[in-house]
Each structure stands twice: as structure tokens, then as C-alpha cells.
Amino acid sequence: SAAYHPNGQEFAHGISIRGSSHVEVGPAVTTSRTWGDSIFLGSFPNYSNWDDTVWIHDSRLELNGRSSISLNAGRNITIERNTVNQTAMHVLNIEPDDSTEGATNVVYRNNTVGSYGVSSMYASFFFAAVGNGGATVSGITVTGNSVAGNTGGYYGLQLGLDTYVKSGAVRRKNIVVTNNVCNRATQPQY
């Protein structure tokens, strides 16, 4: 399987979408054994040029070295009906690097998630909204997902619907996490 390598290989994504609009990934796309994210969404050529209107659906995202989906700069993003398994760290990671990046109107729904957090490098989450505290992160819905749950590689704790949202100078707002299912007890990481 792939593994996280912080020496630059972490940017070897399965699919990298930067500063683009009206993009569809799926159906039946598979990303597997990448050093970086299965799919990365970000800005290009500068931080303020976000991805807009991206649909990722009915695909398989597995065996990555970082996150299943990393979102640094995007609006109107829908991620649905995908199968995710053996993710090194986070399943859905919203992590703007700059205050001009961020995420708005993002829907992550009806995905099937197997194991995640299999790397021993960092604590891992089913859904994380962290990154630059000056960036706007708003209008995020995580719903209807099924998570198998597993033992995490970092703390050795039981992982399931673990969610971590961290605000900074700009408050993260309008975030809804609902109707997700995991039949395994979890232990808090923080």
C-alpha cells in the first residue's frame, strides 16, 4: 500500500484539480496506490482562483498516502456514492493553506468508507475542517455516509465518525454532519 512521505511525494495525487470549473470525475474511476491524496482540489495559479462546480461520484478511492479527498479551495463541490478504503489519514479533509482559499457549498453524501487513518504519522478523521484560520469554510454538509470503522494507526484508538472542525480568525460556519452510520464504538482523539 502507499504511505505518507512528507518529502514532496505527498503531492503525487491520483487526480489533481486546480482552479477549474465544471469538472466531473466518475463514474467508475479508480485511484489506487498514490503517495498523495486520491483527489486534490485547490487553487491555480494563485490562491484566490478556486475550483467551482465539481462532481465526484460513483468511483473508488483507495490505498492513498494522505487523504481520500483534500479540498483547499473550492465551491459547489459534490462528492457522492464513492467507495473509500485504506486511506492513510483523513477521508474528507478541508484544509485551506492561505486565507484567500477555503470551501463553500460542499456536499459529501452517501459514500461507503472502509478503513482510514492507517498511517501512524498523524491523528486522522472521517471529516476534518482545519487549515488557515483566516479562510472561509461555510456551507458544508456531510450526510448519509456509511463508515465501517477501524483501529487507527496513530493513537491506536477506534475510529469511526470522528470529526474535527477548527476555527481561527474566521469562524467555520453552517456545517452539518447528520445521518452518517458507523456500527463500531469510537474513542475520542482530542
PDB file of all heavy atoms in Angstrom, residues 79 92 106-111 126-127 139-147 161-163 165 174-182:
ATOM      1  N   ILE A  79     -19.604  15.361  -3.657  1.00  0.00           N
ATOM      2  CA  ILE A  79     -18.857  14.104  -3.616  1.00  0.00           C
ATOM      3  C   ILE A  79     -19.834  13.052  -3.115  1.00  0.00           C
ATOM      4  O   ILE A  79     -20.263  13.095  -1.960  1.00  0.00           O
ATOM      5  CB  ILE A  79     -17.641  14.226  -2.678  1.00  0.00           C
ATOM      6  CG1 ILE A  79     -16.756  15.402  -3.104  1.00  0.00           C
ATOM      7  CG2 ILE A  79     -16.844  12.922  -2.648  1.00  0.00           C
ATOM      8  CD1 ILE A  79     -15.914  15.971  -1.982  1.00  0.00           C
ATOM      9  N   LEU A  92     -12.371  12.968   4.348  1.00  0.00           N
ATOM     10  CA  LEU A  92     -12.643  14.274   3.734  1.00  0.00           C
ATOM     11  C   LEU A  92     -11.892  15.319   4.536  1.00  0.00           C
ATOM     12  O   LEU A  92     -12.182  15.538   5.709  1.00  0.00           O
ATOM     13  CB  LEU A  92     -14.138  14.594   3.739  1.00  0.00           C
ATOM     14  CG  LEU A  92     -14.531  16.003   3.274  1.00  0.00           C
ATOM     15  CD1 LEU A  92     -14.076  16.261   1.836  1.00  0.00           C
ATOM     16  CD2 LEU A  92     -16.033  16.212   3.412  1.00  0.00           C
ATOM     17  N   VAL A 106     -20.304  22.664  -0.064  1.00  0.00           N
ATOM     18  CA  VAL A 106     -19.708  21.348  -0.284  1.00  0.00           C
ATOM     19  C   VAL A 106     -20.643  20.289   0.284  1.00  0.00           C
ATOM     20  O   VAL A 106     -21.107  20.403   1.424  1.00  0.00           O
ATOM     21  CB  VAL A 106     -18.325  21.237   0.398  1.00  0.00           C
ATOM     22  CG1 VAL A 106     -17.753  19.838   0.252  1.00  0.00           C
ATOM     23  CG2 VAL A 106     -17.373  22.281  -0.169  1.00  0.00           C
ATOM     24  N   VAL A 107     -20.930  19.251  -0.503  1.00  0.00           N
ATOM     25  CA  VAL A 107     -21.776  18.147  -0.055  1.00  0.00           C
ATOM     26  C   VAL A 107     -20.993  16.848  -0.201  1.00  0.00           C
ATOM     27  O   VAL A 107     -20.502  16.523  -1.282  1.00  0.00           O
ATOM     28  CB  VAL A 107     -23.081  18.069  -0.873  1.00  0.00           C
ATOM     29  CG1 VAL A 107     -23.910  16.865  -0.446  1.00  0.00           C
ATOM     30  CG2 VAL A 107     -23.884  19.350  -0.739  1.00  0.00           C
ATOM     31  N   TYR A 108     -20.881  16.118   0.924  1.00  0.00           N
ATOM     32  CA  TYR A 108     -20.243  14.792   0.939  1.00  0.00           C
ATOM     33  C   TYR A 108     -21.319  13.822   1.410  1.00  0.00           C
ATOM     34  O   TYR A 108     -21.661  13.781   2.587  1.00  0.00           O
ATOM     35  CB  TYR A 108     -19.042  14.805   1.896  1.00  0.00           C
ATOM     36  CG  TYR A 108     -18.197  13.547   1.838  1.00  0.00           C
ATOM     37  CD1 TYR A 108     -17.191  13.414   0.886  1.00  0.00           C
ATOM     38  CD2 TYR A 108     -18.412  12.501   2.720  1.00  0.00           C
ATOM     39  CE1 TYR A 108     -16.421  12.270   0.820  1.00  0.00           C
ATOM     40  CE2 TYR A 108     -17.635  11.350   2.663  1.00  0.00           C
ATOM     41  CZ  TYR A 108     -16.644  11.238   1.713  1.00  0.00           C
ATOM     42  OH  TYR A 108     -15.875  10.095   1.634  1.00  0.00           O
ATOM     43  N   ARG A 109     -21.897  13.037   0.480  1.00  0.00           N
ATOM     44  CA  ARG A 109     -23.046  12.212   0.859  1.00  0.00           C
ATOM     45  C   ARG A 109     -23.038  10.827   0.223  1.00  0.00           C
ATOM     46  O   ARG A 109     -22.524  10.617  -0.875  1.00  0.00           O
ATOM     47  CB  ARG A 109     -24.344  12.931   0.508  1.00  0.00           C
ATOM     48  CG  ARG A 109     -24.614  13.040  -0.961  1.00  0.00           C
ATOM     49  CD  ARG A 109     -25.978  13.674  -1.260  1.00  0.00           C
ATOM     50  NE  ARG A 109     -25.993  14.109  -2.648  1.00  0.00           N
ATOM     51  CZ  ARG A 109     -26.471  15.262  -3.065  1.00  0.00           C
ATOM     52  NH1 ARG A 109     -26.985  16.124  -2.223  1.00  0.00           N
ATOM     53  NH2 ARG A 109     -26.440  15.558  -4.344  1.00  0.00           N
ATOM     54  N   ASN A 110     -23.638   9.909   0.978  1.00  0.00           N
ATOM     55  CA  ASN A 110     -23.903   8.536   0.513  1.00  0.00           C
ATOM     56  C   ASN A 110     -22.650   7.816   0.025  1.00  0.00           C
ATOM     57  O   ASN A 110     -22.692   7.060  -0.944  1.00  0.00           O
ATOM     58  CB  ASN A 110     -24.979   8.539  -0.570  1.00  0.00           C
ATOM     59  CG  ASN A 110     -26.278   9.137  -0.079  1.00  0.00           C
ATOM     60  OD1 ASN A 110     -26.605   9.075   1.104  1.00  0.00           O
ATOM     61  ND2 ASN A 110     -27.024   9.752  -0.982  1.00  0.00           N
ATOM     62  N   ASN A 111     -21.530   8.038   0.695  1.00  0.00           N
ATOM     63  CA  ASN A 111     -20.287   7.339   0.390  1.00  0.00           C
ATOM     64  C   ASN A 111     -20.137   6.156   1.345  1.00  0.00           C
ATOM     65  O   ASN A 111     -20.655   6.180   2.462  1.00  0.00           O
ATOM     66  CB  ASN A 111     -19.102   8.299   0.539  1.00  0.00           C
ATOM     67  CG  ASN A 111     -19.197   9.438  -0.453  1.00  0.00           C
ATOM     68  OD1 ASN A 111     -18.923   9.287  -1.629  1.00  0.00           O
ATOM     69  ND2 ASN A 111     -19.613  10.612   0.025  1.00  0.00           N
ATOM     70  N   PHE A 126     -12.598  11.104   9.941  1.00  0.00           N
ATOM     71  CA  PHE A 126     -13.564  10.883   8.870  1.00  0.00           C
ATOM     72  C   PHE A 126     -13.815  12.209   8.154  1.00  0.00           C
ATOM     73  O   PHE A 126     -13.822  12.281   6.931  1.00  0.00           O
ATOM     74  CB  PHE A 126     -14.855  10.301   9.468  1.00  0.00           C
ATOM     75  CG  PHE A 126     -16.054  10.407   8.582  1.00  0.00           C
ATOM     76  CD1 PHE A 126     -16.094   9.771   7.347  1.00  0.00           C
ATOM     77  CD2 PHE A 126     -17.161  11.133   8.983  1.00  0.00           C
ATOM     78  CE1 PHE A 126     -17.214   9.876   6.528  1.00  0.00           C
ATOM     79  CE2 PHE A 126     -18.278  11.238   8.176  1.00  0.00           C
ATOM     80  CZ  PHE A 126     -18.300  10.612   6.947  1.00  0.00           C
ATOM     81  N   PHE A 127     -13.999  13.284   8.922  1.00  0.00           N
ATOM     82  CA  PHE A 127     -14.175  14.616   8.346  1.00  0.00           C
ATOM     83  C   PHE A 127     -13.392  15.611   9.177  1.00  0.00           C
ATOM     84  O   PHE A 127     -13.541  15.672  10.392  1.00  0.00           O
ATOM     85  CB  PHE A 127     -15.656  15.000   8.309  1.00  0.00           C
ATOM     86  CG  PHE A 127     -15.918  16.457   8.066  1.00  0.00           C
ATOM     87  CD1 PHE A 127     -15.375  17.110   6.968  1.00  0.00           C
ATOM     88  CD2 PHE A 127     -16.709  17.193   8.935  1.00  0.00           C
ATOM     89  CE1 PHE A 127     -15.607  18.465   6.745  1.00  0.00           C
ATOM     90  CE2 PHE A 127     -16.961  18.539   8.719  1.00  0.00           C
ATOM     91  CZ  PHE A 127     -16.402  19.173   7.625  1.00  0.00           C
ATOM     92  N   GLY A 139     -21.040  26.299   4.753  1.00  0.00           N
ATOM     93  CA  GLY A 139     -21.986  25.592   3.898  1.00  0.00           C
ATOM     94  C   GLY A 139     -21.516  24.195   3.553  1.00  0.00           C
ATOM     95  O   GLY A 139     -21.564  23.787   2.401  1.00  0.00           O
ATOM     96  N   ILE A 140     -21.091  23.442   4.567  1.00  0.00           N
ATOM     97  CA  ILE A 140     -20.575  22.082   4.368  1.00  0.00           C
ATOM     98  C   ILE A 140     -21.608  21.095   4.904  1.00  0.00           C
ATOM     99  O   ILE A 140     -22.057  21.225   6.046  1.00  0.00           O
ATOM    100  CB  ILE A 140     -19.236  21.875   5.120  1.00  0.00           C
ATOM    101  CG1 ILE A 140     -18.261  23.039   4.870  1.00  0.00           C
ATOM    102  CG2 ILE A 140     -18.643  20.518   4.768  1.00  0.00           C
ATOM    103  CD1 ILE A 140     -17.848  23.263   3.460  1.00  0.00           C
ATOM    104  N   THR A 141     -21.981  20.087   4.117  1.00  0.00           N
ATOM    105  CA  THR A 141     -22.914  19.041   4.546  1.00  0.00           C
ATOM    106  C   THR A 141     -22.264  17.684   4.360  1.00  0.00           C
ATOM    107  O   THR A 141     -21.808  17.347   3.263  1.00  0.00           O
ATOM    108  CB  THR A 141     -24.230  19.109   3.740  1.00  0.00           C
ATOM    109  OG1 THR A 141     -24.820  20.393   3.928  1.00  0.00           O
ATOM    110  CG2 THR A 141     -25.194  18.032   4.190  1.00  0.00           C
ATOM    111  N   VAL A 142     -22.215  16.919   5.453  1.00  0.00           N
ATOM    112  CA  VAL A 142     -21.682  15.550   5.432  1.00  0.00           C
ATOM    113  C   VAL A 142     -22.827  14.658   5.911  1.00  0.00           C
ATOM    114  O   VAL A 142     -23.183  14.673   7.088  1.00  0.00           O
ATOM    115  CB  VAL A 142     -20.449  15.421   6.354  1.00  0.00           C
ATOM    116  CG1 VAL A 142     -19.918  13.999   6.347  1.00  0.00           C
ATOM    117  CG2 VAL A 142     -19.353  16.402   5.925  1.00  0.00           C
ATOM    118  N   THR A 143     -23.432  13.887   4.996  1.00  0.00           N
ATOM    119  CA  THR A 143     -24.656  13.173   5.347  1.00  0.00           C
ATOM    120  C   THR A 143     -24.797  11.846   4.608  1.00  0.00           C
ATOM    121  O   THR A 143     -24.308  11.688   3.493  1.00  0.00           O
ATOM    122  CB  THR A 143     -25.890  14.055   5.056  1.00  0.00           C
ATOM    123  OG1 THR A 143     -27.060  13.419   5.551  1.00  0.00           O
ATOM    124  CG2 THR A 143     -26.060  14.328   3.570  1.00  0.00           C
ATOM    125  N   GLY A 144     -25.455  10.897   5.274  1.00  0.00           N
ATOM    126  CA  GLY A 144     -25.818   9.634   4.645  1.00  0.00           C
ATOM    127  C   GLY A 144     -24.664   8.712   4.335  1.00  0.00           C
ATOM    128  O   GLY A 144     -24.803   7.795   3.526  1.00  0.00           O
ATOM    129  N   ASN A 145     -23.525   8.905   4.972  1.00  0.00           N
ATOM    130  CA  ASN A 145     -22.354   8.075   4.708  1.00  0.00           C
ATOM    131  C   ASN A 145     -22.323   6.875   5.650  1.00  0.00           C
ATOM    132  O   ASN A 145     -22.783   6.957   6.785  1.00  0.00           O
ATOM    133  CB  ASN A 145     -21.085   8.907   4.882  1.00  0.00           C
ATOM    134  CG  ASN A 145     -21.068  10.075   3.921  1.00  0.00           C
ATOM    135  OD1 ASN A 145     -20.864   9.902   2.729  1.00  0.00           O
ATOM    136  ND2 ASN A 145     -21.304  11.276   4.434  1.00  0.00           N
ATOM    137  N   SER A 146     -21.753   5.782   5.181  1.00  0.00           N
ATOM    138  CA  SER A 146     -21.595   4.575   5.981  1.00  0.00           C
ATOM    139  C   SER A 146     -20.111   4.326   6.200  1.00  0.00           C
ATOM    140  O   SER A 146     -19.342   4.235   5.240  1.00  0.00           O
ATOM    141  CB  SER A 146     -22.219   3.384   5.244  1.00  0.00           C
ATOM    142  OG  SER A 146     -21.953   2.193   5.940  1.00  0.00           O
ATOM    143  N   VAL A 147     -19.700   4.236   7.475  1.00  0.00           N
ATOM    144  CA  VAL A 147     -18.293   4.076   7.824  1.00  0.00           C
ATOM    145  C   VAL A 147     -18.116   2.758   8.584  1.00  0.00           C
ATOM    146  O   VAL A 147     -18.789   2.522   9.595  1.00  0.00           O
ATOM    147  CB  VAL A 147     -17.803   5.263   8.686  1.00  0.00           C
ATOM    148  CG1 VAL A 147     -16.349   5.093   9.071  1.00  0.00           C
ATOM    149  CG2 VAL A 147     -18.020   6.580   7.946  1.00  0.00           C
ATOM    150  N   LEU A 161     -16.842   7.794  13.108  1.00  0.00           N
ATOM    151  CA  LEU A 161     -17.346   9.060  12.571  1.00  0.00           C
ATOM    152  C   LEU A 161     -16.600  10.249  13.160  1.00  0.00           C
ATOM    153  O   LEU A 161     -17.154  11.334  13.328  1.00  0.00           O
ATOM    154  CB  LEU A 161     -18.848   9.185  12.855  1.00  0.00           C
ATOM    155  CG  LEU A 161     -19.719   8.110  12.208  1.00  0.00           C
ATOM    156  CD1 LEU A 161     -21.164   8.250  12.667  1.00  0.00           C
ATOM    157  CD2 LEU A 161     -19.623   8.169  10.692  1.00  0.00           C
ATOM    158  N   ASP A 162     -15.329  10.088  13.454  1.00  0.00           N
ATOM    159  CA  ASP A 162     -14.513  11.135  14.068  1.00  0.00           C
ATOM    160  C   ASP A 162     -14.504  12.377  13.188  1.00  0.00           C
ATOM    161  O   ASP A 162     -14.173  12.307  12.006  1.00  0.00           O
ATOM    162  CB  ASP A 162     -13.081  10.636  14.264  1.00  0.00           C
ATOM    163  CG  ASP A 162     -13.023   9.430  15.167  1.00  0.00           C
ATOM    164  OD1 ASP A 162     -13.378   8.324  14.702  1.00  0.00           O
ATOM    165  OD2 ASP A 162     -12.635   9.592  16.323  1.00  0.00           O
ATOM    166  N   THR A 163     -14.857  13.508  13.795  1.00  0.00           N
ATOM    167  CA  THR A 163     -14.945  14.777  13.094  1.00  0.00           C
ATOM    168  C   THR A 163     -14.180  15.832  13.870  1.00  0.00           C
ATOM    169  O   THR A 163     -14.271  15.896  15.090  1.00  0.00           O
ATOM    170  CB  THR A 163     -16.424  15.205  12.942  1.00  0.00           C
ATOM    171  OG1 THR A 163     -17.094  14.207  12.161  1.00  0.00           O
ATOM    172  CG2 THR A 163     -16.562  16.537  12.268  1.00  0.00           C
ATOM    173  N   VAL A 165     -13.373  20.011  13.589  1.00  0.00           N
ATOM    174  CA  VAL A 165     -13.541  21.316  12.951  1.00  0.00           C
ATOM    175  C   VAL A 165     -12.845  22.341  13.830  1.00  0.00           C
ATOM    176  O   VAL A 165     -13.132  22.443  15.019  1.00  0.00           O
ATOM    177  CB  VAL A 165     -15.033  21.682  12.783  1.00  0.00           C
ATOM    178  CG1 VAL A 165     -15.174  23.071  12.180  1.00  0.00           C
ATOM    179  CG2 VAL A 165     -15.737  20.641  11.921  1.00  0.00           C
ATOM    180  N   ASN A 174     -22.094  27.042   9.357  1.00  0.00           N
ATOM    181  CA  ASN A 174     -23.048  26.320   8.519  1.00  0.00           C
ATOM    182  C   ASN A 174     -22.512  24.955   8.106  1.00  0.00           C
ATOM    183  O   ASN A 174     -22.534  24.588   6.937  1.00  0.00           O
ATOM    184  CB  ASN A 174     -23.438  27.148   7.286  1.00  0.00           C
ATOM    185  CG  ASN A 174     -24.069  28.463   7.656  1.00  0.00           C
ATOM    186  OD1 ASN A 174     -24.812  28.540   8.628  1.00  0.00           O
ATOM    187  ND2 ASN A 174     -23.761  29.498   6.904  1.00  0.00           N
ATOM    188  N   ILE A 175     -22.036  24.218   9.096  1.00  0.00           N
ATOM    189  CA  ILE A 175     -21.531  22.861   8.870  1.00  0.00           C
ATOM    190  C   ILE A 175     -22.530  21.886   9.479  1.00  0.00           C
ATOM    191  O   ILE A 175     -22.865  21.981  10.660  1.00  0.00           O
ATOM    192  CB  ILE A 175     -20.135  22.675   9.489  1.00  0.00           C
ATOM    193  CG1 ILE A 175     -19.140  23.614   8.781  1.00  0.00           C
ATOM    194  CG2 ILE A 175     -19.689  21.225   9.394  1.00  0.00           C
ATOM    195  CD1 ILE A 175     -17.754  23.624   9.368  1.00  0.00           C
ATOM    196  N   VAL A 176     -23.014  20.950   8.649  1.00  0.00           N
ATOM    197  CA  VAL A 176     -23.997  19.964   9.086  1.00  0.00           C
ATOM    198  C   VAL A 176     -23.421  18.572   8.880  1.00  0.00           C
ATOM    199  O   VAL A 176     -23.036  18.211   7.767  1.00  0.00           O
ATOM    200  CB  VAL A 176     -25.315  20.112   8.287  1.00  0.00           C
ATOM    201  CG1 VAL A 176     -26.309  19.034   8.691  1.00  0.00           C
ATOM    202  CG2 VAL A 176     -25.907  21.497   8.468  1.00  0.00           C
ATOM    203  N   VAL A 177     -23.352  17.810   9.968  1.00  0.00           N
ATOM    204  CA  VAL A 177     -22.921  16.409   9.906  1.00  0.00           C
ATOM    205  C   VAL A 177     -24.089  15.602  10.460  1.00  0.00           C
ATOM    206  O   VAL A 177     -24.390  15.676  11.659  1.00  0.00           O
ATOM    207  CB  VAL A 177     -21.634  16.179  10.725  1.00  0.00           C
ATOM    208  CG1 VAL A 177     -21.211  14.716  10.664  1.00  0.00           C
ATOM    209  CG2 VAL A 177     -20.508  17.083  10.229  1.00  0.00           C
ATOM    210  N   THR A 178     -24.780  14.844   9.592  1.00  0.00           N
ATOM    211  CA  THR A 178     -26.013  14.179  10.004  1.00  0.00           C
ATOM    212  C   THR A 178     -26.249  12.885   9.236  1.00  0.00           C
ATOM    213  O   THR A 178     -25.774  12.717   8.110  1.00  0.00           O
ATOM    214  CB  THR A 178     -27.213  15.138   9.795  1.00  0.00           C
ATOM    215  OG1 THR A 178     -28.393  14.539  10.313  1.00  0.00           O
ATOM    216  CG2 THR A 178     -27.417  15.482   8.335  1.00  0.00           C
ATOM    217  N   ASN A 179     -26.968  11.970   9.863  1.00  0.00           N
ATOM    218  CA  ASN A 179     -27.406  10.716   9.232  1.00  0.00           C
ATOM    219  C   ASN A 179     -26.265   9.858   8.706  1.00  0.00           C
ATOM    220  O   ASN A 179     -26.431   9.114   7.736  1.00  0.00           O
ATOM    221  CB  ASN A 179     -28.407  10.996   8.107  1.00  0.00           C
ATOM    222  CG  ASN A 179     -29.669  11.640   8.617  1.00  0.00           C
ATOM    223  OD1 ASN A 179     -30.158  11.298   9.686  1.00  0.00           O
ATOM    224  ND2 ASN A 179     -30.186  12.598   7.873  1.00  0.00           N
ATOM    225  N   ASN A 180     -25.105   9.932   9.329  1.00  0.00           N
ATOM    226  CA  ASN A 180     -23.992   9.055   8.992  1.00  0.00           C
ATOM    227  C   ASN A 180     -24.031   7.862   9.944  1.00  0.00           C
ATOM    228  O   ASN A 180     -24.471   7.987  11.082  1.00  0.00           O
ATOM    229  CB  ASN A 180     -22.669   9.811   9.127  1.00  0.00           C
ATOM    230  CG  ASN A 180     -22.618  10.992   8.188  1.00  0.00           C
ATOM    231  OD1 ASN A 180     -22.525  10.848   6.989  1.00  0.00           O
ATOM    232  ND2 ASN A 180     -22.718  12.197   8.747  1.00  0.00           N
ATOM    233  N   VAL A 181     -23.560   6.705   9.498  1.00  0.00           N
ATOM    234  CA  VAL A 181     -23.682   5.486  10.287  1.00  0.00           C
ATOM    235  C   VAL A 181     -22.329   4.803  10.441  1.00  0.00           C
ATOM    236  O   VAL A 181     -21.576   4.653   9.470  1.00  0.00           O
ATOM    237  CB  VAL A 181     -24.665   4.494   9.609  1.00  0.00           C
ATOM    238  CG1 VAL A 181     -24.722   3.181  10.357  1.00  0.00           C
ATOM    239  CG2 VAL A 181     -26.046   5.105   9.488  1.00  0.00           C
ATOM    240  N   CYS A 182     -22.028   4.401  11.666  1.00  0.00           N
ATOM    241  CA  CYS A 182     -20.891   3.531  11.956  1.00  0.00           C
ATOM    242  C   CYS A 182     -21.326   2.620  13.089  1.00  0.00           C
ATOM    243  O   CYS A 182     -21.792   3.094  14.127  1.00  0.00           O
ATOM    244  CB  CYS A 182     -19.655   4.335  12.369  1.00  0.00           C
ATOM    245  SG  CYS A 182     -18.230   3.286  12.747  1.00  0.00           S
TER     246      CYS A 182
END
